């Protein structure tokens, strides 16, 4: 019980010290130490040193720079977690194709990938595109990529932001893309030689 009282009093002391008030220390008849801001109760003045405040790891980032970006390219500073890389943009994400979009047969596996980057990409930064976890094109100073002749099936797209030294500074949320392709093996396909 006494430890809880001491912790409460110590917390009050720190709180009051932050408000630049004078704190006094007294001892009651039972020998319990008490702290007060009332000089009329007697006691000796306590000299409090300034507190050193160190922000938690999740709080360290540049002002206005979100650490996490959702699939729409919007920053979400509230969901920033420990270990997230520095993010120098208000938004950085894949705008198109949309999440779980299906690329029709007529597209022949070709799709344009557009990024949302705000403010504009800095001159010393580059972006590269990953398809199914593999780098599909070298890093470029662009917000648009063209993918050609994607195989039928499911593909996961992500973009990486590289700084001037070539280090990956951020990665977008993954976007799943489904690709439909014509096949000569399908019986109703007009390209199937068996239909001639």
């Amino acid at each position: 019980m006494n430890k809880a009282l001491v912790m409460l009093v110590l917390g009050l002391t720190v709180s009051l010290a932050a408000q630049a008030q004078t704190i006094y220390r007294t001892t009651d008849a039972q020998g319990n130490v008490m702290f007060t801001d009332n000089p009329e109760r007697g006691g000796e003045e306590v000299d409090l040193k300034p507190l050193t405040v160190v922000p938690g790891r999740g709080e360290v980032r540049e002002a206005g720079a979100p650490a996490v970006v959702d699939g729409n390219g919007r920053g979400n500073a509230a969901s920033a977690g420990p270990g997230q890389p520095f993010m120098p943009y208000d938004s950085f994400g894949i705008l198109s194709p949309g999440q779980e979009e299906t690329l029709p047969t007529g597209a022949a596996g070709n799709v344009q990938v557009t990024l949302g980057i705000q403010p504009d990409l800095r001159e010393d930064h580059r972006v590269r595109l990953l398809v199914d976890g593999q780098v599909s094109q070298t890093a470029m100073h662009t917000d648009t990529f063209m993918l050609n002749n994607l195989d039928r099936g499911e593909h996961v797209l992500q973009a990486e932001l590289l700084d001037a030294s070539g280090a990956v500074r951020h990665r977008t949320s993954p976007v799943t893309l489904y690709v439909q392709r014509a096949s000569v093996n399908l019986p109703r396909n007009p390209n199937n030689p068996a239909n001639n």
Side-chain angles (χ1 to χ4, degrees), residues 112-191:
Q112 179 175 305
V113 179
T114 305
L115 305 178
I117 305 172
Q118 289 297 324
D120 291 339
L121 192 62
R122 290 176 15 182
E123 280 299 317
D124 60 336
H125 286 177
R126 301 286 180 262
V127 179
R128 69 181 175 198
L129 189 65
L130 305 178
V131 178
D132 300 326
Q134 302 296 317
V135 176
S136 72
Q137 297 171 12
T138 58
M140 298 184 288
H141 187 266
T142 186
D143 63 356
T144 305
F145 292 89
M146 190 67 192
L147 293 175
N148 296 310
N149 202 26
L150 286 173
D151 292 333
R152 170 188 297 172
E154 178 182 315
H155 297 281
V156 178
L157 310 178
Q158 280 187 294
E160 290 182 330
L161 174 67
L162 283 70
D163 64 13
S165 68
V168 175
R169 302 300 296 221
H170 197 76
R171 183 178 291 156
T172 64
S173 297
V175 171
T176 302
L177 173 69
Y178 300 105
V179 178
Q180 294 180 344
R181 295 292 300 265
S183 171
V184 295
N185 297 324
L186 295 175
R188 294 182 183 229
N189 187 332
N191 297 323

Side-chain angles (χ1 to χ4, degrees), residues 65-78:
V68 177
V69 177
D70 66 17
N72 296 322
R74 292 187 300 267
N76 186 354

Side-chain angles (χ1 to χ4, degrees), residues 7-23 35 37 48-49 51:
M7 293 303 291
L8 178 64
V9 170
L10 185 59
L12 178 62
T13 302
V14 171
S15 173
L16 293 175
Q19 297 175 6
Q21 294 182 358
T22 304
I23 304 297
F35 295 90
D37 63 347
L48 297 174
K49 307 262 188 273
L51 294 176

